[in-house]
Each structure stands twice: as C-alpha cells, then as structure tokens.
Amino acid sequence: MSFSFRVTHTDGRARRGVMATAHGDVQTPAFMPVGTQGAVKGVLHRDLEQMGADILLGNTYHLYLRPGDDLIARRGGLHAFIGWPRPILTDSGGYQVFSLAARRTVAEDGVKFQSHLDGSAHLLTPEKVVDIQAQLGSDIAMVLDECLAHPSGDELVRPSMERTLRWARRARARFLTLYEKRGRESFSREGVLVTNSGQAQFGIVQGGTSAELREESARGTVAIGFEAYAIGGLSVGEPTDVMYKIVADTTPCLPEDRPRYLMGTGTPRDLVESVARGIDLFDCVLPTRNARNGQLFTSEGPINIKNAQYAEDDRPPDPACSCYTCRTFSRAYLRHLFRAGEINASTLNTLHNLHFYLDTLRQIRDAIAFRRFESFRTAFHQSLSRHLHDS
Ligand SMILES: [Zn+2]
C-alpha cells in the first residue's frame, strides 16, 4: 500500500478528501493529536481510537534521543512499538532542536546540538533525519527545515529559506535512494533498517512573514517534488491575521491534488479559518497541553475549570459535547479533581479537548460535503463571540 490523496468535495477554497497511507485512510481536513514520545499525554491509544483519531503525530527529536530509532526499528518500527495500528506522521525534529536543545549551531551540513536530556552531542543532517524516520517507519516523514524565531527580518529569513530548500533537495535525494525499490514491508539499505516501505515524505514551505519569500519557497519546494507539502514557521508569535494571510497566499502555490499541512496550529478558530483557506491537515499541542492546565475548549469558547465560579456548577463542561467527560461529569467535579491534583483531571480534560477538536473537524468535513461550510463558519464564530460577550 502506498500514499495517495483524493479530494472528494470542495466548497469555496475548503476541501474534503481522503488521504490513503500504508496504515489506513485519513479523512481530511484532519487534526493529528500530538504523541510526543510515543504517547498522547493523559490518554490511552484505546481512547484515541474510540474518539475517531485517524492519525497521530510523533516527535522525531524526542524518539531519536530516547529510546532511539535503532531500538524502535529492532522492535519492528513505531507502530508495533507503541501499539498504534493507524497512520503516524513524524516531524523532522527540527522544531525541537531549535526550541529545546542547548548550544545548537547551524551550518550548511546540518545542525549540531546538545541533548536537553544528558548534554550529549548530536548532528542532525537532512539525510540523517530521513534515516531516523525510515527506521521509525512512520507513514509520513517530514524534511529537516530551519525554524527561525519571530520576528526575523528578511536579511535573516531569505538565507534561512534558501538553506531549507537546499536541505529539502538533499532530503529528497536520500529518501529516493532508500525507497528506490520498495518491496517487502521492511528491508535494510545503506545501513538503515526501513520499517515501513510505504512511507511518504512531505516538503515544508518556509519564508517567515514575507509573501514574496513564501511564494519563492513554495515554488522551489514543489519543484523538488514531494508526496505533499506543509506550511511551517507559523504560530510562532506572529499576529493571527498575518498567519491567515500567509496561509491564504501560500495554498494557491501548492498543487491541488496533494494534501496541505499547516504545522503546529492552532486554536479552534484557526482550524476553521485555515480550512477556509485550503488547508487539509493540522497538529497542535493546545488541546492536550491546555487540558492539563485546566483549560477546556467548548462550543461557547474556552473555560478555565479551576475558576471559583465552577465550584458548584453542575453542568457538563460543554452541554453540546457528547464525549465521555461531558456525558458523565460536572464542572464542579472536574474543578475539584484539578484542585486536588488528581491524575484523572488531566485525563478527563484531555479526553474532552481532543474530542472537541476531532468533532470540530468532523463538523467541518460534513459542512464541506453538503456545501454549507460558509454557514457553518459563521455559526461557529457567532457561538464563540456570544460567549465572550456574556462573560
Ligand atoms: Zn466533552
């Protein structure tokens, strides 16, 4: 089985489709829960399967440092190791190197850094990142890109964008060498244990907040030729309207017949607005991280369960939600669990937030299929703003 993508419905610039991978289909637009170290914090894979998560994201940087891609490859790859039979996308590790690692230096060859775990020295090159993900055996691998902090001026962004393009060419060449002859599910080539012969590789568009650089990056990345394309380097502190504009300007530069992945975004509003601009795939730590901090996303806007106003509130977190948490528990109980420091507070809050995100995408897909995405979009924003006015 190999990678493919088919757009089944369009409504304005919004698209609904099916992305086929070596481990099954993903209905798009889709949200990918983040399973940083092979687990989504606070919930079991069983819960994720039950709530209809089609695909998980794993973090290459973390898995490479611990337990190591060699160890995972010897276990048959990431799907077998973590017990998740559905599709997995792994990032390139670049974002974590630039945000977590100590003493990193970027050169043409790659990025040198010290592990945030034990200070050990590592060099990640575009080729090495391909090899690591081949050993992990994810269904979708990302190329190594350089991630700049926001704001960066064009004098920094241009050389960085150009380097990312050169790295993308090297990553594609290495990928094609490893996967030149796909056959058995796993095989060894060039000293790399390839554990998923059906892996696809996505390129990443960079270019900061400059429309010109973004377009140049998009055209250059598409010219290299990947199974699909991502927009990186957003949600790093730029204003929301700037992000929406870059997304709107970039998607027309990407092929219609390939999925478009907006990396690391975002709020429920960001998802709806990005779908309206032609995005098909999302990942973000917001629903899981914020759940552990007591913030619940609801159809009427976010609520902070730790607030005193919920101490004797017998309503479910979101009366419009059908998740296990909302069907079973009150805001009063969830607030108590959070204040008492119970582990279940994280679990129940995460169950709800992920359900809310996945359900929002389900509603988006239905709306596109019935060509009523614009009315869904209007109603979605009205529901959020009505709540903001009330409180
Ligand atoms: Zn719920």
Side-chain angles (χ1 to χ4, degrees):
M1 262 214 293
S2 62
F3 183 88
S4 71
F5 179 65
R6 191 164 54 92
V7 175
T8 56
H9 305 79
T10 58
D11 188 3
R13 289 176 68 181
R15 304 125 56 89
R16 176 174 174 163
V18 183
M19 180 173 78
T21 80
H23 287 84
D25 290 350
V26 177
Q27 305 296 321
T28 65
F31 177 79
M32 302 183 275
V34 179
T36 303
Q37 317 207 45
V40 175
K41 292 188 198 320
V43 293
L44 301 176
H45 295 345
R46 184 183 62 196
D47 302 320
L48 297 167
E49 289 190 49
Q50 275 174 4
M51 67 172 88
D54 280 344
I55 177 169
L56 286 191
L57 183 144
N59 283 118
T60 294
Y61 170 88
H62 289 286
L63 295 167
Y64 158 71
L65 290 178
R66 183 176 60 192
D69 50 303
D70 288 331
L71 182 147
I72 291 172
R74 288 193 296 271
R75 314 265 89 63
L78 197 52
H79 293 85
F81 180 57
I82 73 170
W84 173 260
R86 297 183 183 185
I88 298 176
L89 178 148
T90 44
D91 63 7
S92 71
Y95 182 80
Q96 279 76 27
V97 169
F98 288 97
S99 60
L100 281 181
R103 302 171 69 148
R104 62 174 186 280
T105 51
V106 189
E108 190 57 27
D109 189 36
V111 49
K112 268 189 202 153
F113 66 94
Q114 290 188 346
S115 161
H116 73 292
L117 295 173
D118 59 8
S120 55
H122 301 267
L123 169 66
L124 276 190
T125 64
E127 292 83 4
K128 174 79 179 165
V129 163
V130 171
D131 293 354
I132 294 169
Q133 293 178 91
Q135 297 216 116
L136 295 176
S138 52
D139 299 289
I140 298 167
M142 303 301 300
V143 298
L144 181 66
D145 58 336
E146 186 176 6
C147 306
L148 288 176
H150 175 83
S152 295
D154 281 5
E155 73 287 354
L156 285 177
V157 177
R158 170 166 284 285
S160 169
M161 180 275 282
E162 290 174 347
R163 175 181 281 147
T164 291
L165 270 180
R166 291 192 297 275
W167 283 2
R169 270 180 221 112
R170 286 167 53 190
R172 190 59 178 176
R174 179 65 180 176
F175 180 84
L176 293 177
T177 301
L178 286 187
Y179 292 90
E180 190 182 12
K181 280 179 274 173
R182 301 178 190 245
R184 293 181 309 279
E185 194 183 332
S186 66
F187 53 85
S188 196
R189 186 167 296 151
E190 306 255 325
V192 176
L193 186 51
V194 177
T195 59
N196 176 3
S197 70
Q199 190 179 66
Q201 186 186 42
F202 286 13
I204 303 176
V205 175
Q206 286 286 350
T209 53
S210 154
E212 187 196 331
L213 295 179
R214 283 277 168 187
E215 185 178 341
E216 212 177 310
S217 173
R219 305 230 179 266
T221 310
V222 171
I224 296 167
F226 292 94
E227 277 71 41
Y229 302 89
I231 303 176
L234 292 179
S235 282
V236 291
E238 77 284 356
T240 309
D241 55 332
V242 171
M243 177 177 86
Y244 292 167
K245 182 166 188 319
I246 293 167
V247 171
D249 291 346
T250 306
T251 49
C253 306
L254 300 175
E256 292 275 336
D257 62 349
R258 305 294 168 99
R260 302 160 179 159
Y261 165 28
L262 179 59
M263 302 179 79
T265 300
T267 64
R269 177 169 183 262
D270 294 341
L271 305 189
V272 173
E273 286 309 298
S274 302
V275 167
R277 290 162 175 79
I279 296 293
D280 308 297
L281 287 172
F282 300 93
D283 78 283
C284 193
V285 294
L286 267 190
T288 40
R289 178 184 291 163
N290 290 20
R292 300 195 301 280
N293 296 326
Q295 188 186 49
L296 299 172
F297 293 97
T298 81
S299 54
E300 300 179 331
I303 65 172
N304 241 313
I305 202 66
K306 51 184 177 276
N307 288 352
Q309 70 186 102
Y310 303 120
E312 300 196 47
D313 190 335
D314 295 325
R315 290 175 296 170
D318 184 352
C321 179
S322 63
C323 82
Y324 170 71
T325 302
C326 290
R327 280 188 283 114
T328 320
F329 305 106
S330 66
R331 295 175 180 181
Y333 177 61
L334 293 174
R335 176 174 187 268
H336 157 69
L337 288 183
F338 187 89
R339 285 171 50 83
E342 284 290 338
I343 291 173
N344 288 7
S346 287
T347 297
L348 294 175
N349 293 349
T350 304
L351 278 179
H352 165 76
N353 274 357
L354 282 178
H355 185 279
F356 180 79
Y357 266 63
L358 293 169
D359 196 56
T360 298
L361 270 298
R362 257 191 298 270
Q363 291 181 43
I364 288 173
R365 290 194 297 270
D366 285 349
I368 296 170
F370 290 105
R371 298 187 71 88
R372 48 176 183 76
F373 178 70
E374 274 312 310
S375 54
F376 167 83
R377 184 182 177 188
T378 306
F380 187 85
H381 293 318
Q382 274 171 353
S383 176
L384 290 183
S385 61
R386 194 162 49 234
H387 174 83
L388 292 177
H389 290 238
D390 287 350
S391 60

